[in-house]
Amino acid sequence: MDIVLMIIYATILLGFLVFIHEGGHYLAARAFGVRVTEFMLGLPGPSIGFTRGGTRFGVTAVPLGGYAKVCGMEAGEMSPHLEAVLAALYRRGTANMEDIARDCGISDDEAYDALEELVEWGSIKGPTKKDQYNTYRAVATAPTKKQLKAAAAGEPAPASYALGQARPVDDAHAFYQGEYRQQYRALPFWKRSVILVAGVFVNLLFAMLLFVLMYSVIGFEAQSPNTGVFYHAALTPLQSLQAGFAYIGQVIALVASLFNPATAADTVSNTTSIIGIAVMSKDAVDMGLMGILSFTAMISVSLGIMNLLPIPPLDGGRFVVEVFQKVSRRVVSTRALNYLSAAGMLLFLGFFLIMANQDIQRFVFGNW
């Protein structure tokens, strides 16, 4: 029964912290006008939910963590045929890849690459499992509340179109530019950087709020060094924030020690995996409210700082790629980014196996 509780507590804790992390990316992207097609609680897969403002909100079949699908984050150069392909598909409404290739006078492979990129942009819908061929569809559109109010004042209202319905495209370039402006890659460097670190910021902000809640609002039991008598104490909000920043500094120093050959082995040996987090999460729950809040704040800080590591596919790794592209004025190819991400995943897998083995040994011998 204890093992089941460990798994449940760790799943809820990590799922919630990953979800708010992705919420940071979502809020930053929307603030800059970038399209986000999905914001889900859980791992990618079958889901239930609703669509509002062009974003589908919901819960997936595996409600662990969460994700925000920010459009236009694909690596590499853009297809040179996006404008023509976008207009051709919307004029047809629904079309197979070969139809678009013929309309635009390009090869099937070129049409496929452009169509798939536009799917990533959220500009069109890709093939479904029921489609026999590579069939693509124009997205459904409807006037916004702002446009409806303008129409009520006498201005012409945009027409509504169902999914896959053909529609006129009078100015293909203007239509394409309107779609491009809603993409992550259309933003300047500083805005892309904000979106990348927004998840880390939310994790750290949440942890700081927990520190204030614990030490300033709820308070804690302290012992007088002179009399040995326990008493209820509370810090000022500023002191609580200072304590929070001090802890963040400790975590940063710990993570930095991973890159020091003299301290890396010792740091790994003193670090825990998801197995250890599961055990400690149950201990925190058994301690009561303060134990839960304290442990949640610690894990939120660790999650945020670890995501700043300059290793793809983490946020820090993607930020390094953005810096490289800005300085070198070169675009990192999809293949190169995939190789970097694979190398990063192998590195993390190695760390996980080492730490998991440590945690199993500790759990077996009870040396927590």
Side-chain angles (χ1 to χ4, degrees), residues 30-362:
R30 295 303 299 135
F32 292 138
V34 175
R35 178 182 289 146
V36 182
T37 52
E38 295 182 34
F39 182 37
M40 292 288 174
L41 174 63
L43 300 177
S47 63
I48 58 173
F50 63 93
T51 301
R52 183 171 183 179
T55 303
R56 179 172 171 77
F57 301 89
V59 180
T60 68
V62 185
L64 299 175
Y67 68 93
K69 192 171 182 181
V70 180
C71 294
M73 295 191 75
E74 69 280 357
E77 297 282 356
M78 294 191 302
S79 166
H81 308 293
L82 293 177
E83 182 176 319
V85 168
L86 179 65
L89 179 63
Y90 268 70
R91 287 172 179 140
R92 282 180 173 266
T94 300
N96 295 335
M97 173 190 70
E98 294 80 4
D99 300 326
I100 300 301
R102 286 194 299 270
D103 289 352
C104 299
I106 57 180
S107 68
D108 288 351
D109 288 341
E110 289 173 326
Y112 176 78
D113 290 341
L115 288 165
E116 286 298 307
E117 189 167 350
L118 290 171
V119 170
E120 290 297 318
W121 283 21
S123 300
I124 64 175
K125 292 291 184 181
T128 66
K129 293 181 179 180
K130 296 180 180 180
D131 291 325
Q132 184 177 0
Y133 304 104
N134 286 331
T135 304
Y136 297 84
R137 296 168 176 84
V139 298
T141 59
T144 63
K145 292 182 179 179
K146 184 178 180 180
Q147 291 171 331
L148 290 174
K149 288 182 179 179
E155 296 183 15
S160 297
Y161 294 97
L163 175 66
Q165 182 180 355
R167 62 208 72 179
V169 180
D170 298 325
D171 190 335
H173 182 68
F175 181 40
Y176 166 75
Q177 287 297 320
E179 291 297 306
Y180 176 70
R181 283 193 293 269
Q182 299 180 69
Q183 306 304 311
Y184 167 88
R185 67 191 309 157
L187 298 177
F189 169 76
W190 75 270
K191 289 186 178 181
R192 296 199 302 270
S193 301
V194 169
I195 292 175
L196 290 176
V197 302
V200 174
F201 173 78
V202 169
N203 279 130
L204 298 183
L205 176 62
F206 179 67
M208 297 300 286
L209 292 175
L210 290 182
F211 278 115
V212 173
L213 177 62
M214 287 187 294
Y215 298 131
S216 296
V217 178
I218 298 176
F220 55 95
E221 296 299 314
Q223 186 178 22
S224 172
N226 298 323
T227 64
V229 176
F230 285 91
Y231 63 97
H232 187 78
L235 303 178
T236 66
L238 179 59
Q239 290 173 325
S240 296
L241 292 175
Q242 289 173 338
F245 280 119
Y247 180 74
I248 292 174
Q250 293 174 10
V251 175
I252 292 175
L254 179 66
V255 172
S257 65
L258 286 171
F259 298 91
N260 184 345
T263 58
D266 186 57
T267 300
V268 172
S269 67
N270 291 315
T271 307
T272 188
S273 71
I274 182 63
I275 299 173
I277 292 175
V279 175
M280 289 186 286
S281 64
K282 183 181 180 302
D283 292 340
V285 172
D286 291 342
M287 292 171 60
L289 179 60
M290 287 295 286
I292 296 172
L293 295 178
S294 178
F295 187 63
T296 301
M298 292 168 56
I299 298 301
S300 189
V301 170
S302 298
L303 178 64
I305 300 302
M306 288 297 292
N307 261 283
L308 284 178
L309 287 175
I311 303 172
L314 298 179
D315 298 333
R318 186 59 193 258
F319 177 71
V320 169
V321 171
E322 290 288 353
V323 172
F324 172 80
Q325 293 182 147
K326 178 69 174 179
V327 173
S328 67
R329 300 185 182 278
R330 296 170 57 189
V331 177
V332 176
S333 67
T334 302
R335 177 178 295 182
L337 187 57
N338 288 340
Y339 284 146
L340 290 172
S341 297
M345 292 300 295
L346 288 175
L347 179 62
F348 274 106
L349 179 61
F351 279 134
F352 172 78
L353 292 176
I354 293 172
M355 292 184 290
N357 177 64
Q358 294 174 168
D359 288 341
I360 292 173
Q361 297 300 320
R362 293 167 182 164

